[in-house]
Amino acid sequence: MVNVTDAARAILARNDRGGYTVPTDGLYPFQWNWDSAFVSMGFATFDIDRAYQELERFIQGQWNNGMFPHIIFHVPSDSYFPGPDVWQTEQCHSKKPMTSGITQPPVFGIALRFLYEAVLVTGRHDMLERTHTLFNAALRSHRWWLKARDPDKRGLVAILHPWESGSDNSPAWDEALARVPTTTKTEICRQDTKHVNATMRPRNIDYQRFTHLVEVYRECQWDPIKQWSHAPFKIADVQMTAILARATADLIWMASQLNLSDALEELFTMHQLLINGLNSRWNQHIRGFVSLDLISGKDIEKPTQTCFIPLIALELDSYQRKSIQEEIERWCQGMVIGIPTTAPFSPDFESKRYWRGPVWAVINWLIADGLRKNQLKELAAIIEGNTISVIERAGFCEYFDPITGEGLGGNTFSWTAAAYLVLRR
Ligand code: 9WN
């Protein structure tokens, strides 16, 4: 019988393109932002040099203004839409690899701490300079987040495109996305549905709106101030904010390890702002945290995994803890595997369609981590155990049907392999 840990390492080796890892062969032929951060943690369980390399290749795509783009197009490929010809971001990152024009969840800072902890265990002293370089890139990117995506200092950072959330077609974005026109100047040549059954992917109308948004921001020449004022889609996202807050806490830890007292003060201020912002988003009815639509001014009361992600950054009070525990248990009732990304009792739930119900290993990883941080260790262990066993049964798939446990989307997925390696330790 093949050892599953070896199989997970083999997935990472197979998706290695020379220092960076593609999410999976064919469907996603480039380096993705939050995928790479998770993948680096997977590598750190057995090859710390390669783990560092993953982040080092990633920061090659950092923009002059500090933004970490969501895709780095290291080498051309025509198996993905939209490619660099659609984004047209050359002026933002002179002499660097081509990139997309939007960002993704800042898991980078969380990964950097994870990697540096592994370095400390090995007692290696030759990684300091590399660590400093990565830390500085992370700090610049956090500054970009606050400046570009929270100009009103609410303590909540906004997404301007559903792709930025990483949960592209989540029901959480439905109402806001419905206001975005479906007209596009670009010819939409979807490649994803050549790799994966269309019923497991976003719909064509979603792609029209996704592409329309890209065109709006391209016309703003990717200038953050212009984008902010022209954005037809603008959501203060609690998932994004929570990841940024947690990553900021991890950078605080890094700064104290590295004796960077100047950075510490700035990071503390950033962290407090984000924690206050997140705390203000507790919603009694949903029994979780909710995002805010900055265009309609409305709370987004959709039961999606987003509501639980703030656990990774916050210390909940006992009432919130109990509510979230009960809610997660309720969502998992009758499921072969939890946690569904949309509550199964919601009319929006679709067990096979991408972010509208399927279980994602990295989301379980984050939520389990948040549960542990909040002393809900038993529930965390159940979720981790279920994630490990579904991967052992169904393979390293992109996501899983919570009702049947079937593996869906792309297979041989890098971040699913990384999740396995980290959760199985
Ligand atoms: C758009 C790579 C990425 C993940 C996202 C996931 C999916 C891309 C797509 O794949 O998004 O960025 O084309 O569908 O939604 O979370 O980072 O794995």
Side-chain angles (χ1 to χ4, degrees), residues 52 83 220 371 389:
Y52 265 67
C220 295
L371 289 168
S389 53

Side-chain angles (χ1 to χ4, degrees), residues 329 338 372 377-389:
E329 285 167 354
R372 277 188 194 285
K377 297 195 172 73
E378 277 175 35
L379 185 54
I382 292 172
I383 290 160
E384 289 162 352
N386 286 346
T387 312
I388 289 167
S389 53

Side-chain angles (χ1 to χ4, degrees), residues 23 28 32 34-35 70 80 104 163 166 168 201 354-355 415:
Y28 301 122
W32 255 259
W34 72 329
D35 295 63
H70 101 296
Y80 184 79
Q104 255 194 338
W163 279 334
D168 315 345
R201 294 285 306 171
Y354 216 35
W355 290 96
W415 68 5

Side-chain angles (χ1 to χ4, degrees), residues 23-24 27-28 32-35 70-71 80-82 102 104-105 163-169 192 201-202 207 354-355 360 398 413 415:
T24 191
L27 179 61
Y28 301 122
W32 255 259
N33 179 329
W34 72 329
D35 295 63
H70 101 296
I71 307 176
Y80 184 79
F81 172 88
I102 56 173
Q104 255 194 338
W163 279 334
E164 294 196 316
S165 70
S167 317
D168 315 345
N169 67 338
D192 55 322
R201 294 285 306 171
Y207 262 76
Y354 216 35
W355 290 96
W360 293 69
E398 189 175 8
F413 235 80
W415 68 5

Side-chain angles (χ1 to χ4, degrees), residues 97-164:
M98 306 282 263
T99 75
S100 68
I102 56 173
T103 189
Q104 255 194 338
V107 179
F108 188 96
I110 302 175
L112 184 56
R113 174 178 177 165
F114 190 100
L115 269 50
Y116 194 59
E117 281 180 334
V119 165
L120 293 180
V121 170
T122 61
R124 282 186 56 172
H125 300 295
D126 57 332
M127 305 294 270
L128 213 51
E129 203 182 317
R130 293 171 78 179
T131 307
H132 271 277
T133 305
L134 293 173
F135 175 86
N136 288 335
L139 180 60
R140 284 184 61 218
S141 81
H142 282 223
R143 287 182 184 138
W144 173 85
W145 269 109
L146 273 293
K147 189 170 170 202
R149 297 307 178 84
D150 186 23
D152 303 326
K153 298 196 171 21
R154 289 169 204 271
L156 297 166
V157 289
I159 53 168
L160 304 186
H161 195 299
W163 279 334
E164 294 196 316

